[in-house]
Amino acid sequence: MGLFSKPIKSLDDLFLHTLKDIYYAENQIVKSLPAMIEKATDPTLKSAFQTHLSETKGQVTRLERVFQMLGEEPKGVTCAAIDGILDEAKEVMSDIDDKMVLDAGMISGAQAVEHYEITRYGTLVAFARRLGREDCAKIFEETLAEEKETDRKLTAIAQGQVNRKAA
Ligand SMILES: [Fe+2]
Ligand SMILES: [Fe+2]
């Protein structure tokens, strides 16, 4: 990785880079969810965040399993995208007093996180398959299903009660 060579040379390298990126992201999400759980007022929202925190911890473990399957040390690379999404969510949270508006704001921030994760896991599934790692693709698909379900649940909570109470 000197002056004359770039670190990502192949799809294998890009696959590993993307894995490190999402590993960093999942760990940042684990750190961010407790404050959202604490601040949520709607009980369905609170419990959805709680469920997703424990799912996210399991997703971190899954990623560690993939690193192991690839013979690599679990390691993250700073993901500017997730840092930006989480910073923005925190900023919005600190700017809201009304509890119901805060719930709506947290759902909005959390869905941005879920959509980010959905793009990353979608890419990882495709890369893994292309590289002949169906074993890894299967693991990413389990997490992808959880992210999509979380996104769906958050939409239902927002449209079911939170946005109405916030309005
Ligand atoms: Fe996740
Ligand atoms: Fe997620």
Side-chain angles (χ1 to χ4, degrees), residues 51-130:
T51 302
H52 202 49
L53 175 58
S54 69
E55 272 173 353
T56 302
K57 287 176 181 167
Q59 294 169 356
V60 168
T61 307
R62 270 188 206 129
L63 291 174
E64 287 165 352
R65 215 158 76 220
V66 174
F67 277 109
Q68 202 177 43
M69 286 155 63
L70 298 172
E72 296 283 342
E73 267 317 298
K75 220 178 130 221
V77 286
T78 304
C79 166
I82 201 70
D83 281 345
I85 292 171
L86 291 172
D87 282 349
E88 190 182 83
K90 271 176 226 152
E91 214 177 287
V92 169
M93 281 162 69
S94 70
D95 281 347
I96 301 174
D97 264 334
D98 183 276
K99 283 180 180 315
M100 286 302 137
V101 178
L102 179 59
D103 274 3
M106 287 194 291
I107 291 175
S108 154
Q111 286 194 280
V113 171
E114 294 316 307
H115 280 253
Y116 176 75
E117 294 182 286
I118 289 166
T119 69
R120 282 299 186 245
Y121 282 106
T123 297
L124 282 163
V125 169
F127 283 176
R129 290 234 155 91
R130 175 49 55 196

Side-chain angles (χ1 to χ4, degrees), residues 7-38:
I8 299 173
K9 298 183 198 314
S10 62
L11 190 64
D12 277 291
D13 294 342
L14 186 60
F15 176 53
L16 187 61
H17 174 83
T18 311
L19 180 64
K20 289 177 176 173
D21 173 290
I22 195 68
Y23 186 63
Y24 173 89
E26 293 289 15
N27 278 294
Q28 294 306 110
I29 296 164
V30 167
K31 286 186 207 157
S32 301
L33 274 166
M36 297 171 78
I37 292 168
E38 200 198 298

